[in-house]
Amino acid sequence: MTDTTPTSFFPEKFRILSGSALKMIAIIIMLIDHSALVLLSGYAPANIPLFTIGTKGYTLYRICRDVGRAAFPIFCFLLVEGFIHTRNRRKYGLNLFLFACISEIPWNFMFTNSWTFEKQNVFFTLFLGYLAFCAIEYFWESQPVQFLCLAGLFLVSCYLDADYGWRGYIFLLIMYWFRNYKASQAIIGSCWLYYEWKACFAFISINMYNGKRGFIKGKAAKYFFYAFYPLHIAVLVILRQLLFYS
């Protein structure tokens, strides 16, 4: 298998976003989404319609949640890029699994304000995608075994019911298989995301990627982006407790 520099359906002059810039966009969008979920959902003024399109009223809460839909496709794209370019895939996978476990407690409290919740956090979906990428490459010469591995991971995604679930797992495969064909990736990925059509806007920023690592370098910066997920959820849960329950 060979990989080329990421292409784009945009002219080169529009490819202005590094991997670091995409990471910043993704975490800001995610923060907007989760802030709405945790804080604005319980704030009455944020649930008053600001305007109406057709028969549907749009509140500040709804707008923030809709904006947040674009975060997951960007994280999936970054996972594919990270998998392809990492020097140590074993460590890359272990980091995903470690932070999936770490994130589970704040994730549970975000939804139930308790230690348990029937769904798992999105890191588990990303980890299953990582395992699928490994299976595709390792069993490239043995298509039946490759298919069995992918099917097995699909069943695991259904059983775990992590954030974005089996649909997210399939989306990760789409992002990987069409990584060198950005127009096809955007079209097929957007069709798959019909149930969350606002997420399709993520392909605009994805196709502005220039293939460069960017300004975020070093272990501290790398682990900040892993840790940001559980930390920002924990902070939001604490703020909710202070603002609405104290």
Side-chain angles (χ1 to χ4, degrees), residues 18-103:
S18 65
S20 299
L22 280 176
K23 286 181 181 179
M24 293 300 299
I25 291 171
I27 66 170
I28 289 171
I29 292 173
M30 179 177 65
L31 180 60
I32 292 171
D33 180 30
H34 289 166
S35 295
L37 175 64
V38 179
L39 300 178
L40 295 186
S41 60
Y43 182 56
N47 291 279
I48 299 173
L50 301 174
F51 57 89
T52 301
I53 298 179
T55 59
K56 186 174 182 179
Y58 284 83
T59 65
L60 178 59
Y61 166 80
R62 187 69 265 160
I63 293 170
C64 289
R65 295 305 312 277
D66 287 348
V67 167
R69 299 307 88 203
F72 180 69
I74 298 176
F75 281 123
C76 291
F77 173 78
L78 291 170
L79 177 68
V80 173
E81 284 295 296
F83 176 81
I84 292 170
H85 297 294
T86 184
R87 297 176 182 175
N88 189 331
R89 288 184 174 172
R90 182 174 179 274
K91 187 175 181 181
Y92 191 71
L94 287 174
N95 285 335
L96 287 170
F97 182 72
L98 174 63
F99 279 91
C101 295
I102 292 173
S103 300

Side-chain angles (χ1 to χ4, degrees), residues 220-231:
K222 180 181 74 173
Y223 283 103
F224 166 78
F225 283 95
Y226 281 108
F228 182 84
Y229 184 76
L231 285 177

Side-chain angles (χ1 to χ4, degrees), residues 14-189:
F14 293 110
R15 301 177 201 172
I16 59 175
L17 298 178
S18 65
S20 299
L22 280 176
K23 286 181 181 179
M24 293 300 299
I25 291 171
I27 66 170
I28 289 171
I29 292 173
M30 179 177 65
L31 180 60
I32 292 171
D33 180 30
H34 289 166
S35 295
L37 175 64
V38 179
L39 300 178
L40 295 186
S41 60
Y43 182 56
N47 291 279
I48 299 173
L50 301 174
F51 57 89
T52 301
I53 298 179
T55 59
K56 186 174 182 179
Y58 284 83
T59 65
L60 178 59
Y61 166 80
R62 187 69 265 160
I63 293 170
C64 289
R65 295 305 312 277
D66 287 348
V67 167
R69 299 307 88 203
F72 180 69
I74 298 176
F75 281 123
C76 291
F77 173 78
L78 291 170
L79 177 68
V80 173
E81 284 295 296
F83 176 81
I84 292 170
H85 297 294
T86 184
R87 297 176 182 175
N88 189 331
R89 288 184 174 172
R90 182 174 179 274
K91 187 175 181 181
Y92 191 71
L94 287 174
N95 285 335
L96 287 170
F97 182 72
L98 174 63
F99 279 91
C101 295
I102 292 173
S103 300
E104 194 63 13
I105 292 176
W107 166 264
N108 291 340
F109 272 84
M110 180 165 67
F111 286 97
T112 65
N113 215 27
S114 69
W115 296 95
T116 59
F117 182 50
E118 64 271 15
K119 295 185 67 173
Q120 283 70 53
N121 68 81
V122 74
F123 260 118
F124 283 103
T125 301
L126 297 176
F127 179 65
L128 290 177
Y130 157 83
L131 292 178
F133 303 161
C134 290
I136 291 171
E137 289 207 353
Y138 190 79
F139 297 109
W140 187 250
E141 302 297 331
S142 180
Q143 301 297 315
V145 177
Q146 184 186 94
F147 173 78
L148 288 174
C149 289
L150 297 183
L153 290 168
F154 173 78
L155 293 176
V156 172
S157 72
C158 294
Y159 174 78
L160 275 181
D161 196 21
D163 199 18
Y164 288 92
W166 63 269
R167 293 183 177 88
Y169 171 76
I170 297 296
F171 181 75
L172 279 160
L173 293 179
I174 291 171
M175 295 297 286
Y176 180 82
W177 278 326
F178 295 97
R179 62 193 179 280
N180 294 324
Y181 307 94
K182 289 298 184 289
S184 298
Q185 185 187 67
I187 293 169
I188 296 172

